[in-house]
Amino acid sequence: MTLTPAPVPVGRSVQVKVPATTANLGPGFDTLGLALSLYDNLTVTVRDAPGARVEVVGVGAGEVPTDDRNLVVTAIRHTFAEFGYALPGLDLVARNAIPHGRGLGSSGAAIVSGIMAAKGLLDGIVDIDSNALLAIATELEGHPDNVAPALFGGLTIAWTSHDSPRHKKLMVHRGVSPLMCVPESTMSTELARSLRPASVPHEDAIFNVSRSALLIAALIQSPELLLDATEDRLHQSYRAAAMPGTESLITELRSHGLAAVVSGAGPSILVLCSDPAQRLEAAELVAKHTATHWQTLMLAVDFKGATVISRPVEALV
């Protein structure tokens, strides 16, 4: 397909903010996701020279590509191409806080950052609605459970209908207090997915259906049910051997009545506490668990999702 040069003026700039996410939440494998108050920030400016130049500050500095191979640039290019436009020359500054390779949706955040940047740059030229945003993000990420909450915030249920991804956003009970436990080690999403069996026993599937339904009720109405609601038989036990430190801490936390689960593909741990006092209790237990060093992050649920602000060219003069 021949792409048309994008009618985006040199100097147009957008600022994007995207939250971290945690997927699965225990039983909701590839379906449930939650946006959290930890953010990557991106500034993109159109320039005269072709190609992309990326500056990375914070997480990923010196590690991720800083040219056209960068995942954010890939997402911007893909979005422009979806609407028939070639990528203009770009300067990008990425200020990242979301850890990479630890189950907090960093790749999904990068993809959503790029798509939202493209949306802002094409403002007034193309109208990119929420369905298109989710479809493009899912195509790039491969599944919608992380990109849906990154885009829309809150608790999201994601599914596919007639070959297109869909989502439902729900508000979370104000008492729910997430604690994220982040280790120094990383985990490949591809490896984590490869550890799942091709099929599971019928009774395990029924078990997870019941727990997923209960988890929705616990998160939006009855946080006291979170421990039972986060039980899982579909994926966490199969991945445990690859993340022994994660498995050990989850077992300990749950033995104290705390709803601890693997965050996404891991190895980070999400503890869904029913109130701030219980979250402090969880953090104290993690601090005593000295077999592995864990960074604890007391986060809020992000309800806004990704945002983009456009700065007109004349504002930059």
Side-chain angles (χ1 to χ4, degrees):
M1 181 178 68
T2 301
L3 301 177
T4 302
V8 182
V10 171
R12 176 173 286 186
S13 182
V14 296
Q15 294 178 320
V16 178
K17 181 179 180 180
V18 180
T21 56
T22 179
N24 302 329
L25 313 184
F29 185 72
D30 274 4
T31 301
L32 300 181
L34 190 67
L36 300 171
S37 61
L38 181 66
Y39 302 94
D40 282 354
N41 289 273
L42 175 72
T43 301
V44 182
T45 306
V46 179
R47 62 175 183 166
D48 267 326
R53 180 175 58 195
V54 185
E55 177 186 356
V56 179
V57 180
V59 176
E63 300 174 2
V64 301
T66 55
D67 53 20
D68 285 3
R69 298 169 297 157
N70 185 278
L71 183 56
V72 176
V73 177
T74 298
I76 298 174
R77 181 189 303 109
H78 185 86
T79 306
F80 268 70
E82 280 287 312
F83 298 95
Y85 293 114
L87 187 72
L90 299 175
D91 283 326
L92 298 89
V93 180
R95 295 178 174 86
N96 297 336
I98 302 173
H100 290 182
R102 290 176 174 84
L104 279 86
S106 61
S107 64
I111 288 168
V112 169
S113 293
I115 294 169
M116 294 298 289
K119 174 180 172 64
L121 293 172
L122 290 169
D123 185 39
I125 301 167
V126 174
D127 180 24
I128 307 177
D129 63 19
S130 60
N131 290 332
L133 291 172
L134 182 58
I136 295 169
T138 302
E139 182 181 355
L140 288 169
E141 176 74 347
H143 40 89
D145 54 339
N146 271 313
V147 294
L151 281 167
F152 308 115
L155 168 67
T156 59
I157 307 170
W159 72 98
T160 300
S161 178
H162 305 295
D163 296 325
S164 63
R166 303 286 299 277
H167 85 285
K168 175 63 179 177
K169 175 181 176 179
L170 299 171
M171 302 302 284
V172 176
H173 190 283
R174 65 179 181 271
V176 173
S177 303
L179 177 71
M180 188 63 68
C181 310
V182 184
E184 295 175 345
S185 60
T186 61
M187 180 70 176
S188 161
T189 300
E190 291 74 18
L191 173 59
R193 286 184 168 270
S194 72
L195 298 174
R196 294 180 295 119
S199 61
V200 296
H202 186 258
E203 57 270 25
D204 287 352
I206 294 173
F207 182 93
N208 269 59
V209 169
S210 70
R211 294 310 189 271
S212 294
L214 182 61
L215 181 54
I216 298 299
L219 285 169
I220 68 176
Q221 184 177 350
S222 305
E224 71 276 6
L225 298 175
L226 281 167
L227 182 62
D228 285 347
T230 50
E231 293 179 311
D232 161 69
R233 292 184 183 175
L234 285 189
H235 65 103
Q236 292 183 130
S237 62
Y238 299 107
R239 298 169 170 177
M243 298 179 284
T246 297
E247 172 67 12
S248 173
L249 182 54
I250 286 177
T251 299
E252 182 172 349
L253 288 166
R254 294 190 69 88
S255 72
H256 284 82
L258 296 160
V261 298
V262 177
S263 179
S268 294
I269 295 170
L270 169 69
V271 190
L272 289 168
C273 302
S274 58
D275 57 52
Q278 190 184 63
R279 181 165 64 179
L280 288 173
E281 175 191 347
E284 290 173 0
L285 282 170
V286 174
K288 295 175 182 176
H289 193 86
T290 57
T292 303
H293 173 71
W294 298 88
Q295 178 188 14
T296 52
L297 303 174
M298 295 190 185
L299 303 175
V301 176
D302 172 274
F303 293 108
K304 293 181 67 175
T307 59
V308 57
I309 300 173
S310 299
R311 298 169 63 196
V313 175
E314 55 268 22
L316 304 174
V317 178

